[in-house]
C-alpha cells in the first residue's frame, strides 16, 4: 500500500497578519516581573519607614530582604530600594540602641 500525501489549501481566514506601518510605534514587551520588583522597592521603603516607629524587629528585616531582592532583580526604582535598605538597617540599629538602654526587647517611648 502506498501512502498518499494530501495537500491542504490555505484558508482565507488564516492569512498572515498585515505588517505594521513604518510610522507606528513598536510596543516592546515589558520584562516579566518588573512591576513586582518596583512594588518590592516601594514596599521596602514603606516598611522601613514604619519600622522606625513600631515593630522594628519584624519590619526591619523584611524591608532589608525586599530591598535586596528588588535591587538584585534590577528595579527601576533603585533609589527607593536603597532607601528601604537603609531604613531597614536603621530599624535594627534603633532597636539595638533602645534594647541596650532598657535591657529588654520590648520598648516604649514612655519609659
Amino acid at each position: 500500500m502506498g501512502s498518499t500525501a494530501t495537500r491542504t489549501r490555505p484558508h482565507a481566514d488564516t492569512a498572515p497578519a498585515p505588517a505594521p506601518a513604518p510610522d507606528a510605534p513598536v510596543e516592546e514587551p515589558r520584562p516579566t516581573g518588573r512591576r513586582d520588583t518596583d512594588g518590592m522597592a516601594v514596599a521596602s521603603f514603606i516598611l522601613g519607614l514604619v519600622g522606625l516607629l513600631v515593630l522594628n524587629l519584624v519590619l526591619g528585616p523584611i524591608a532589608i530582604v525586599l530591598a535586596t531582592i528588588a535591587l538584585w532583580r534590577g528595579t527601576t526604582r533603585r533609589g527607593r530600594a536603597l532607601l528601604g535598605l537603609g531604613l531597614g538597617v536603621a530599624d535594627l540599629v534603633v532597636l539595638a540602641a533602645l534594647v541596650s538602654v532598657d535591657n529588654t526587647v520590648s520598648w516604649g517611648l514612655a519609659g
Side-chain angles (χ1 to χ4, degrees):
M1 286 197 107
S3 67
T4 59
T6 59
R7 289 185 152 180
T8 58
R9 299 176 75 192
H11 298 284
D13 55 327
T14 59
D23 299 348
V26 177
E27 290 185 28
E28 295 183 19
R30 197 178 62 132
T32 305
R34 178 64 57 140
R35 183 174 178 195
D36 294 338
T37 306
D38 292 345
M40 283 185 210
V42 173
S44 71
F45 171 71
I46 292 170
L47 290 175
L49 196 59
V50 172
L52 287 173
L53 301 174
V54 294
L55 296 172
N56 46 6
L57 181 62
V58 176
L59 298 180
I62 292 173
I64 292 170
V65 169
L66 286 176
T68 304
I69 292 172
L71 288 170
W72 182 68
R73 288 186 180 177
T75 183
T76 57
R77 297 181 181 218
R78 184 172 168 81
R80 289 271 163 91
L82 290 173
L83 281 172
L85 184 65
L87 287 170
V89 171
D91 291 347
L92 298 178
V93 169
V94 166
L95 178 68
L98 292 173
V99 165
S100 68
V101 169
D102 289 346
N103 293 326
T104 180
V105 177
S106 64
W107 60 272
L109 296 176

